[in-house]
Amino acid sequence: MNPKRCAACKYLRRRCPKDCIFSPYFPPSDPDKFACIHRIYGAGNVSKMLQQLPVQTRAEAVESLSFEAKCRVDDPVYGCVGIISLLQTQIQNTQALLAKTQAEIAVAQNKQNQ
Amino acid sequence: MNPKRCAACKYLRRRCPKDCIFSPYFPPSDPDKFACIHRIYGAGNVSKMLQQLPVQTRAEAVESLSFEAKCRVDDPVYGCVGIISLLQTQIQNTQALLAKTQAEIAVAQNKQNQ
């Protein structure tokens, strides 16, 4: 066995080829990253998605896929859509507070101008 | 062929069983919903994820998976993580504007009290 196999090939118990599509993004030091992505998307789907992308965008794609997979493992019902809902609520609350504060400043300026 | 097959079984060209795990969530009227989810996760993974969830949470899980799959088809590099980044920027901008406005109100009130 090649001790330098990437985390994906180690997980899939296969030889890590020289042109392995996973190897640049799944170092053997972080086995959980591939395990998580494999559990949610399957190795075949991830490989297919990466192959369809230009090489210079693949690292970012792996990061966003890993993030989504980790969210889905942590929250199997809502995944990272739960985070989107939370952020949208936070924006609505901050916008409401902003509107209230802007109204207050208008009142204060009016009084000052009287 | 059964004309009442769900969109998933139609896509997979198989008989739609009475206890089909997809059928409650993939009506034949919306074939794209399953096509999208199948392209990103694969039918087997989705079926496995749904089986591990209590029945009353499956509809919400299908909605969030569909949303993530659609985002990934539209933006193969960032998927819905792109939306999270946008929302985080929007929160930071709104919070900065709120801080500025709150500072302005403090200045106006100070002047008023002089």
Side-chain angles (χ1 to χ4, degrees):
Chain A
M1 287 291 192
N2 175 1
K4 286 177 183 163
R5 280 185 304 168
C6 73
C9 290
K10 228 174 203 168
Y11 187 98
L12 301 168
R13 293 165 187 260
R14 63 177 202 186
R15 200 177 54 80
C16 190
K18 266 196 173 166
D19 59 347
C20 174
I21 191 150
F22 298 121
S23 148
Y25 319 111
F26 296 98
S29 54
D30 187 359
D32 286 351
K33 190 178 175 189
F34 186 78
C36 202
I37 237 177
H38 180 262
R39 183 167 153 196
I40 300 301
Y41 297 98
N45 278 331
V46 175
S47 157
K48 210 165 57 189
M49 286 193 249
L50 291 180
Q51 266 156 359
Q52 289 167 353
L53 288 174
V55 174
Q56 70 273 20
T57 64
R58 289 182 190 170
E60 298 255 41
V62 166
E63 288 316 303
S64 69
L65 285 167
S66 292
F67 181 80
E68 285 182 44
K70 203 186 162 314
C71 288
R72 180 64 56 183
V73 168
D74 292 345
D75 180 350
V77 177
Y78 295 105
C80 76
V81 178
I83 297 181
I84 292 182
S85 304
L86 270 177
L87 290 176
Q88 282 175 328
T89 306
Q90 203 182 332
I91 287 177
Q92 283 161 5
N93 291 344
T94 312
Q95 281 175 336
L97 191 55
L98 179 61
K100 189 173 159 280
T101 310
Q102 282 172 332
E104 281 170 7
I105 207 168
V107 169
Q109 280 175 339
N110 256 345
K111 278 195 185 166
Q112 211 180 310
N113 295 336
Q114 277 169 6
Chain B
M1 289 290 193
N2 176 0
K4 286 178 183 162
R5 280 186 304 168
C6 74
C9 290
K10 229 174 201 168
Y11 187 97
L12 300 169
R13 293 166 188 262
R14 65 176 201 186
R15 200 178 54 80
C16 190
K18 265 197 173 164
D19 59 348
C20 175
I21 192 151
F22 297 122
S23 147
Y25 319 111
F26 297 99
S29 55
D30 187 357
D32 287 349
K33 189 178 177 188
F34 186 78
C36 203
I37 237 178
H38 181 262
R39 186 169 151 194
I40 301 299
Y41 297 98
N45 278 330
V46 175
S47 156
K48 211 166 53 188
M49 286 194 251
L50 292 180
Q51 265 156 359
Q52 288 166 353
L53 288 174
V55 174
Q56 70 273 20
T57 64
R58 290 182 189 170
E60 298 254 40
V62 165
E63 288 316 303
S64 69
L65 286 167
S66 292
F67 181 80
E68 285 182 45
K70 203 186 163 313
C71 287
R72 180 64 56 183
V73 168
D74 292 345
D75 180 350
V77 177
Y78 295 105
C80 76
V81 178
I83 296 180
I84 292 180
S85 304
L86 271 177
L87 290 176
Q88 282 175 330
T89 306
Q90 203 181 333
I91 287 177
Q92 282 161 5
N93 291 345
T94 312
Q95 281 174 338
L97 191 55
L98 179 61
K100 189 174 160 282
T101 310
Q102 283 171 335
E104 282 171 7
I105 206 170
V107 170
Q109 280 175 338
N110 257 345
K111 280 196 184 163
Q112 209 179 313
N113 296 338
Q114 277 170 2

